[in-house]
Amino acid sequence: MPDAADDAVYYVISDLHIGGDEQLEHVEFLDELLAFLERLETTDEDAELLINGDAFGLWEFTGIDGPEKFDILVEKYPELFEQLRATGEAIPITLLPGNHDHELAAYDEYVEWFAEYNVDLVQAESITRPVGDRTIWFEHGHQQDPNNRIEDFGNPNASPLGYYYNTLVTSRAGQLSDRGRFNWLKDVQAVTPTERMPNWLVSKYFYREMNPLIRYAIIPFLFLFNVSAVLAILAGLDLAGIWSLPVNQTEAFLGQFGQAGATVYLILSVNVAVAGLLLIVGIPVSLLIRDVRKTIDRFGIFETELTVNPDEPYTDAARAVFDERPETAIYCYGHTHRPRTTELDGRLLVNTGTWLKRLHRRDVIAGRLPPVFYPSYQLCAVRIAAEDEGVVVDYQGIDKPNPSAEELTRTERLLTLGREPDPSLPDRQVVTPEDD
């Protein structure tokens, strides 16, 4: 009789971040999640669903404490919990805590309450599952992130740096989002890595919140800034009597177009004057800033900032697991919101991505305008199973139209024409059997 592990199929999702204050309570992928769970309810596979951390945004509930948050979740998302109950009657559902829902590991009541909906909450940092004659290691991944590591796992008062960021920034964004011209601030939790936050805020202010008259008045200057900087240098050479040919040629060329040419010449002249002033002031200032940054780096003042290497900690952690447990074929984690696979010594690191929006930075085609952040969805479930060729990892995409059309202005699309992102999920991967 074949080993049950030979037939086992695992579906893995993570980083749903369901719940939070005010605008954060809206789950834009709820229909897709319900349909996915309904499909698993009718599967004829020997399947198990693993929700690998951050299913819920408990950190983002700041008005209530502790287990009371469970009642809010059930009240806000009754369809989801009823579907979990139905799916859990057909296949096992296992839930691991992440950092955003670390409280699930801190209160034993959660285990009993989730069990009522046929969800097995495992209050542990990691679990393993057999697949063929190998095993899979599952963990959310926040324990490898120094800003979100829970040193005393299961302590309800644990509060790493990431906790304060989410309670003070993310939750506050959910409370304030609907006050803007457009309801965009709630997407703050989709901004990764965190160092992109200032650029994202500047971008959304410029393209969404800024008074349109001001925006359209300064776009020509910012768009032409690179050209203006060059012309400012040439104008300086002309004033110094070193080289006047480019300036004379520009005047002669634009003079052919009458009033239109005169208007363009006026715009360029103003831009050149401003660009020249910025160059005069900016060069010494930039040198000073660069020197200050080098000094700060030498002293390591900002070594504990939120920005961390998104890959290296997981490679190191996976290597340690593979060395200690040679039977492990796959190290499966989430947390970083980047769906990807990485081969390591014949094994695989598998990141399950996120069901939140992903934001893809694109610089404009010219000038010094703020970058544009294209939103997209890469909803997926990772399917892991043993097949004849080995342990197979397959990303199953779940269709959801990208929100670019309604969330990007015409200006943003024009300024990044030809630079639209085309995100894709990783290809099918196989961990082949080890040689005897």
Side-chain angles (χ1 to χ4, degrees):
M1 187 163 81
D3 193 313
D6 293 335
D7 299 322
V9 176
Y10 303 100
Y11 289 90
V12 195
I13 60 177
S14 72
D15 296 271
L16 308 176
H17 294 265
I18 295 172
D21 289 345
E22 297 190 32
Q23 297 300 307
L24 297 180
E25 73 178 33
H26 299 294
V27 181
E28 296 174 331
F29 52 81
L30 183 57
D31 290 342
E32 289 79 9
L33 179 58
L34 292 174
F36 169 69
L37 293 172
E38 288 172 1
R39 177 167 67 86
L40 290 185
E41 183 184 357
T42 60
T43 184
D44 58 0
E45 298 175 311
D46 180 17
E48 178 181 359
L49 171 63
L50 291 109
I51 307 176
N52 199 17
D54 282 359
F56 303 100
L58 300 187
W59 270 357
E60 287 74 31
F61 284 112
T62 58
I64 52 177
D65 296 315
E68 295 179 27
K69 296 178 182 180
F70 184 84
D71 293 332
I72 299 297
L73 290 173
V74 175
E75 177 185 341
K76 294 290 185 182
Y77 314 105
E79 291 177 296
L80 172 60
F81 278 86
E82 287 306 316
Q83 185 57 57
L84 286 171
R85 191 200 303 272
T87 303
E89 290 178 353
I91 66 169
I93 300 176
T94 301
L95 172 62
L96 273 179
N99 53 306
H100 286 257
D101 52 14
H102 167 254
E103 292 174 39
L104 298 181
Y107 298 97
D108 292 339
E109 299 97 309
Y110 278 121
V111 176
E112 179 183 347
W113 294 339
F114 272 100
E116 294 177 4
Y117 293 93
N118 295 321
V119 175
D120 179 20
L121 169 60
V122 180
Q123 294 178 312
E125 298 180 43
S126 63
I127 59 174
T128 61
R129 289 290 187 269
V131 57
D133 59 355
R134 311 289 291 277
T135 62
I136 312 167
W137 176 281
F138 295 98
E139 67 171 84
H140 177 61
H142 63 288
Q143 294 296 76
Q144 315 305 331
D145 176 357
N147 296 304
N148 288 285
R149 179 183 299 126
I150 310 295
E151 298 295 347
D152 185 11
F153 187 81
N155 182 346
N157 299 314
S159 50
L161 184 60
Y163 168 82
Y164 295 104
Y165 175 83
N166 283 280
T167 54
L168 298 176
V169 177
T170 307
S171 295
R172 188 61 178 163
Q175 296 166 20
L176 299 177
S177 187
D178 63 348
R179 299 186 187 182
R181 294 179 187 270
F182 301 89
N183 193 2
W184 56 269
L185 191 57
K186 59 182 173 58
D187 291 335
V188 65
Q189 57 188 340
V191 181
T192 59
T194 310
E195 68 264 27
R196 287 186 173 180
M197 182 66 66
N199 286 335
W200 180 72
L201 289 173
V202 169
S203 175
K204 301 311 289 186
Y205 166 73
F206 184 82
Y207 295 111
R208 284 295 191 179
E209 295 295 328
M210 181 181 285
N211 185 296
L213 294 177
I214 298 176
R215 178 169 60 248
Y216 292 125
I218 63 178
I219 278 180
F221 168 73
L222 294 175
F223 190 74
L224 295 171
F225 181 82
N226 291 348
V227 175
S228 300
V230 174
L231 292 177
I233 295 172
L234 295 176
L237 294 175
D238 180 52
L239 290 173
I242 298 175
W243 190 26
S244 60
L245 181 61
V247 175
N248 292 337
Q249 286 184 335
T250 301
E251 290 180 358
F253 175 75
L254 293 177
Q256 302 176 64
F257 301 97
Q259 186 61 41
T263 301
V264 173
Y265 187 80
L266 175 62
I267 293 174
L268 284 175
S269 297
V270 173
N271 284 357
V272 166
V274 176
L277 180 61
L278 291 177
L279 286 173
I280 293 173
V281 176
I283 291 175
V285 169
S286 65
L287 292 174
L288 175 62
I289 292 174
R290 183 179 180 184
D291 188 68
V292 169
R293 284 178 175 171
K294 286 184 176 180
T295 302
I296 289 174
D297 289 341
R298 284 200 302 272
F299 284 97
I301 293 174
F302 295 127
E303 287 182 354
T304 59
E305 64 182 351
L306 285 172
T307 301
V308 295
N309 187 308
D311 300 313
E312 184 178 351
Y314 302 100
T315 302
D316 294 341
R319 183 174 281 113
V321 169
F322 295 153
D323 289 344
E324 183 178 346
R325 299 168 173 264
E327 73 279 6
T328 304
I330 293 171
Y331 177 95
C332 185
Y333 68 105
H335 186 60
T336 66
H337 295 190
R338 295 173 174 84
R340 65 172 58 181
T341 58
T342 304
E343 191 275 335
L344 180 66
D345 301 330
R347 329 286 179 84
L348 274 182
L349 280 71
V350 176
N351 187 284
T352 45
T354 181
W355 284 52
L356 294 174
K357 287 176 188 169
R358 298 198 67 207
L359 300 176
H360 309 268
R361 173 179 169 152
R362 290 295 181 269
D363 292 325
V364 298
I365 56 179
R368 285 292 181 265
L369 289 156
V372 173
F373 288 83
Y374 274 79
S376 75
Y377 290 107
Q378 288 179 278
L379 309 186
C380 69
V382 178
R383 184 183 184 274
I384 306 175
E387 299 184 10
D388 293 341
E389 55 196 307
V391 180
V392 176
V393 176
D394 186 25
Y395 283 75
Q396 297 189 346
I398 296 167
D399 290 337
K400 182 172 180 61
N402 290 332
S404 301
E406 63 269 20
E407 294 192 4
L408 292 181
T409 63
R410 185 178 292 107
T411 301
E412 287 176 288
R413 293 195 294 270
L414 286 173
L415 290 173
T416 54
L417 193 64
R419 299 190 175 188
E420 302 87 345
D422 184 22
S424 60
L425 293 170
D427 294 330
R428 182 177 186 269
Q429 298 285 343
V430 179
V431 181
T432 56
E434 291 183 308
D435 296 330
D436 294 332

